[in-house]
Amino acid sequence: MEIRESLEAIIDAAIEAARADGSLELTEAPEAALERPRDEANGDWASTVALRCAKLARKNPREVAQVIADHIPANDMIAAVEIAGPGFINIRLSDAVLQGVVREVRDKAENFGRGTIPEGERYVNLEYVSANPTGPFHVGHGRWASLGDAMARVMRHGGYDVYEEYYINDHGNQMDVFGNSVSVRYQQLLGRDVEMPEACYGGAYVKDIAQEIIDRDGDKWLNVSDEERVEAFREMAYEQTLANQKAVLAGFGTTFDKWFSERSLYVEDENGQSAVSRSLNAMREKGYLYEKDGALWFRSTDLGDDKDRVLIKGDGEATYFMSDVAYHYDKMMRGFDHLIDLWGADHHGYIKRCECMLEAWGWPGALEVQLGQLVNLFRDGKAVRMSKRTGEMVTFEELIDEVGVDATRYLMLSRSADQPIDFDIEVAKKKDASNPVYYVQYAHARICSILRKAADEADVAAVEAGQLTMAELAAKVAPEGCDLSSLTHPSELALMRKMADFGNLIALAARDRAPFRLTHYAQDLAALFHQFYTNCHVLTEDAAVQTARLALCDATRIVLALTLTLLGVSAPQKM
């Protein structure tokens, strides 16, 4: 049980004891609901339960608070209880409780802070990035990759079973436009006077694809019909672009359980049924389909949408929304409890119709859409609009190549998804405290250096040779069960207090889909470690103090590394 939960149980027990002996006349008691005080001088935890009980108990809130404090049972967790203000109950933890956090971290290691959630919401389909396979990723896609991957990691640590999925938009007119764009560039490169149509993909990468076809096949495609050439080039360009997208994401450390092709929604099985027809049949059974002007409509206004939506147009062609209907039905039929889609902010108006389709099938609330704002690129404070290399947009791949995976991920996750990111390329490349990811990674590397210094030369050599892990080295210099009672300095207590918050942080970040909170936590923890290192000599003549402080260093190392790992960022042992 977490420290907070244990304390809440103690306060709840005090209220029940006061009710039992008549000190508080309550028919029903509110929960303790502890919170961190804004000012650390007010203790470790605070409860407003007395204020919430006062009217029901017909007593002054401070009087209620005192009654509750007087009924707190004997325990080893609470060092002091103070009544403050209009009736706040402020609690100070015993040093032993905080010292116990060090033991718990070292004992659980990468499982520290791991949570569980109630049944019914556990199996989650998380779909993100899902760019059209018609060109390279832009930096906004990099934000979705960072956010989705970190969200999955944090949710898994919080107890969810997360299935990561990428939806390939490989069906529809944009694919034909892509094939035609490559076809035109191919002909132009071979000297044919052909104009690029207004509806086209005009990026330099289209020309590159056409040149690769020429290098491989020469002019063999000049003498076929336009239709055959466009169809062939569409598939070639699609395969090449998708392979590039997969390679970029793999290099970024973002992987998916499934790459789902939109085309597959329209493929019929042995019974002549496709995902599209199955989803329509299910919606028809619920009475939400009707025909008008030769088209098939979804009666979404019955479910709160501002207008009904066309699924199949009069000419028999499926709308873009039809694909979404079939895709989300397919997801739910695969057994997921909850669907999370990460979309760009420009898709805000699309949410309601998608919520309606899930409700039409009888799954209200099953879809959750997270919207992400854009990324604004800067270089030394000046906006970056174009790539130096191509004179066009800066691609995600170019950003990774210049800045690196760790800095890109960390800075992309530094703010809530609903806020725009101002990403300064030069700041991301700095090797000093002005770069937040460097600051956090340096704290981890410094701890590893301290642990190596504390070991004898043989152990250091074993670590360098990969024969001994850092955890094994730490166990040698600060054995399990070592005395931690000397960890009472304010800097030590602050560091342990911060680590005690980790489990609650994970639970809330997983629930709120907010991995950005871990970047703030990592920076706070790193700052507290640097303060501790300044104020408390780790390698000291007092052997007992040194061992205890090395154990504290090791626990901090574990939590820093775990936090970075959940963000998809490395935790280097040397810098």
Side-chain angles (χ1 to χ4, degrees), residues 422-439:
D422 290 341
F423 191 112
D424 194 305
I425 294 171
E426 294 306 319
V427 169
K429 291 159 61 177
K430 288 183 177 178
K431 306 296 183 184
D432 59 36
S434 67
N435 181 352
V437 67
Y438 182 88
Y439 180 73

Side-chain angles (χ1 to χ4, degrees), residues 147-385:
L147 178 61
D149 183 75
M151 190 182 294
R153 292 167 186 255
V154 172
M155 288 181 70
R156 285 194 186 101
H157 207 74
Y160 296 82
D161 184 359
V162 182
Y163 187 90
E164 295 171 83
E165 190 153 312
Y166 186 113
Y167 180 62
I168 309 168
N169 294 272
D170 54 6
H171 176 83
N173 184 60
Q174 82 275 6
M175 299 306 299
D176 291 329
V177 171
F178 190 28
N180 189 47
S181 300
V182 176
S183 174
V184 171
R185 289 297 186 214
Y186 173 85
Q187 293 174 80
Q188 289 175 343
L189 287 170
L190 290 173
R192 187 174 280 181
D193 186 13
V194 185
E195 288 189 11
M196 182 67 82
E198 186 174 335
C200 69
Y201 291 96
Y205 68 92
V206 176
K207 190 174 181 180
D208 293 340
I209 293 172
Q211 185 61 58
E212 289 185 25
I213 295 174
I214 293 172
D215 293 342
R216 185 182 65 243
D217 296 342
D219 64 358
K220 66 174 281 188
W221 297 101
L222 280 181
N223 300 318
V224 302
S225 67
D226 288 344
E227 292 76 12
E228 183 180 349
R229 186 188 316 108
V230 168
E231 183 177 349
F233 285 9
R234 180 190 65 200
E235 297 308 302
M236 293 179 193
Y238 163 47
E239 291 178 6
Q240 181 174 329
T241 302
L242 184 61
N244 173 259
Q245 291 179 343
K246 288 184 176 182
V248 170
L249 289 175
F252 195 59
T254 299
T255 58
F256 293 88
D257 295 296
K258 187 176 185 65
W259 290 73
F260 190 103
S261 168
E262 181 183 358
R263 293 178 177 182
S264 68
L265 297 170
Y266 296 85
V267 177
E268 295 182 351
D269 61 18
E270 63 276 7
N271 298 316
Q273 293 289 306
S274 66
V276 168
S277 61
R278 285 190 290 270
S279 66
L280 289 176
N281 290 340
M283 198 171 278
R284 186 176 287 108
E285 289 176 4
K286 300 291 186 178
Y288 285 105
L289 295 185
Y290 67 94
E291 293 187 12
K292 177 184 174 183
D293 300 329
L296 186 64
W297 295 71
F298 169 37
R299 203 185 304 277
S300 55
T301 51
D302 287 1
L303 300 166
D305 199 2
D306 58 350
K307 62 181 181 181
D308 290 345
R309 306 293 173 176
V310 178
L311 297 174
I312 306 294
K313 293 185 286 188
D315 61 3
E317 183 181 347
T319 62
Y320 183 81
F321 182 49
M322 180 69 255
S323 290
D324 275 334
V325 168
Y327 178 44
H328 285 81
Y329 183 76
D330 181 88
K331 284 185 186 180
M332 292 302 294
M333 293 306 291
R334 281 186 267 149
F336 295 105
D337 300 317
H338 195 64
L339 311 181
I340 302 176
D341 291 356
L342 303 189
W343 297 348
D346 57 339
H347 285 73
H348 181 272
Y350 207 74
I351 297 176
K352 184 59 181 178
R353 72 190 71 174
C354 290
E355 291 175 336
C356 289
M357 68 187 177
L358 270 296
E359 187 174 352
W361 292 311
W363 296 308
L367 175 64
E368 172 187 342
V369 177
Q370 293 281 328
L371 294 177
Q373 294 293 331
L374 296 177
V375 179
N376 303 310
L377 277 186
F378 293 86
R379 193 182 293 277
D380 283 331
K382 296 181 180 179
V384 176
R385 304 296 182 196

